[in-house]
Amino acid sequence: MQFDRQDSMERLRDAVGSGDPIIGAGAGTGISAKFAERGGVDLLIVYNSGRYRMNGRGSLAGLLPYGDANEIVVEMGHEVLPVVEDTPVLAGVNGTDPFRQMDVFVEKLKRQGFSGVQNFPTVGLIDEDSQFRRNLEETGMGYDKEVEMIREASERGMLTCPYVFDERQAREMAEAGADVIVAHMGLTTSGDIGAETSLDLDTAAERVQAIRDAAVEANEDVLVICHGGPIAWPDDARYVIENTEGVVGFFGASSIERLPTEEAIENQAREFKDISL
């Protein structure tokens, strides 16, 4: 079911008003989407890393040239959208893609049934001080393209939930019309293919708070949720939300579909193997 921006925001604000966190879930497969929805998530997000992640590869594969990120999302939409009954589904859009007319592509996603967009793959995951990131920015493949993609989708009445990595990006996205800012703390830790290098939870909470404050300063109506890095399990998200002000939820990709799958399949296999003949 497709939702317009107003309907989506009403649902999210109602959740917050009732004291419930906004929970978004990455959906790399139809079964992930189906059961995350049954678990009560507020948003489902389809992006190319979900396919790699659920095929046992690290999520950062989505940033490397292993496939056409935007075309993969279109394909995944055919798998996920038909099984979702009553939850807005967002498309992860590679806004820096130089081979897409972004206004045409965003409209295509809207016609396909997506209710909104997120900026992924994102160059925000690449260190701003690195030569590679500077070269991307210098050659027309920078974060500003992602901001413009969010602006385009917002003007077309789609829900926009961009990843931001610092206060400046939070202000830029809020000014571009973002509805939900996702404060990204880096690649998720834990599990078999998770990151090992990350912030601690207290530092993550401080950064999330700084991003939230910058976003709200630019647009007081924007909602801010957290994601990634050390915020991997429900207790981690609870800790960050309880130790910040005005942060109203969490987006989990690996946290909701990869980590539970790793544990459940391994444990189920062990239980069958423990049967005695």
Side-chain angles (χ1 to χ4, degrees), residues 119-189:
N119 57 324
F120 194 91
T122 171
V123 299
L125 280 165
I126 303 170
D127 187 349
E128 283 192 319
D129 294 328
S130 68
Q131 181 175 334
F132 182 50
R133 175 66 180 275
R134 289 196 299 270
N135 289 164
L136 286 172
E137 301 284 349
E138 292 164 356
T139 53
M141 292 174 281
Y143 191 83
D144 61 307
K145 296 292 187 182
E146 299 177 26
V147 175
E148 288 308 308
M149 181 275 292
I150 292 296
R151 190 188 311 277
E152 180 71 40
S154 178
E155 290 175 354
R156 291 177 182 273
M158 300 184 79
L159 183 70
T160 53
C161 306
Y163 281 140
V164 307
F165 299 82
D166 58 35
E167 296 95 314
R168 175 181 57 81
Q169 294 173 0
R171 286 189 289 268
E172 290 175 350
M173 285 297 193
E175 290 169 356
D179 300 301
V180 181
I181 296 286
V182 185
H184 199 307
M185 296 296 107
L187 185 64
T188 301
T189 59

Side-chain angles (χ1 to χ4, degrees), residues 39-80:
V41 301
D42 303 285
L43 299 169
L44 291 163
I45 302 91
V46 174
Y47 58 102
N48 71 326
S49 272
R51 173 166 290 180
Y52 296 124
R53 179 169 52 243
M54 299 309 286
N55 276 290
R57 276 70 175 181
S59 295
L60 289 182
L63 271 67
L64 295 171
Y66 302 140
D68 181 339
N70 284 328
E71 187 58 34
I72 288 171
V73 165
V74 172
E75 294 172 5
M76 292 173 70
H78 296 311
E79 300 164 2
V80 171

Side-chain angles (χ1 to χ4, degrees), residues 20 25 31 40-41 46 49 55-56 62 84 95 111 146 153 156 161 171 182 193 201 204 212 216 228 236 248 268:
D20 295 326
I31 199 166
V41 301
V46 174
S49 272
N55 276 290
V84 177
R111 290 200 309 270
E146 299 177 26
R156 291 177 182 273
C161 306
R171 286 189 289 268
V182 185
I193 54 174
L201 275 174
R212 182 265 173 193
V216 172
D236 302 328
V248 296
Q268 186 81 334

Side-chain angles (χ1 to χ4, degrees), residues 4-5 101-108 110-111 115 149-160:
D4 64 24
R5 182 184 185 188
Q101 290 179 262
M102 202 48 63
D103 56 342
V104 175
F105 184 62
V106 168
E107 184 62 32
K108 176 181 179 179
K110 185 176 181 179
R111 290 200 309 270
S115 298
M149 181 275 292
I150 292 296
R151 190 188 311 277
E152 180 71 40
S154 178
E155 290 175 354
R156 291 177 182 273
M158 300 184 79
L159 183 70
T160 53

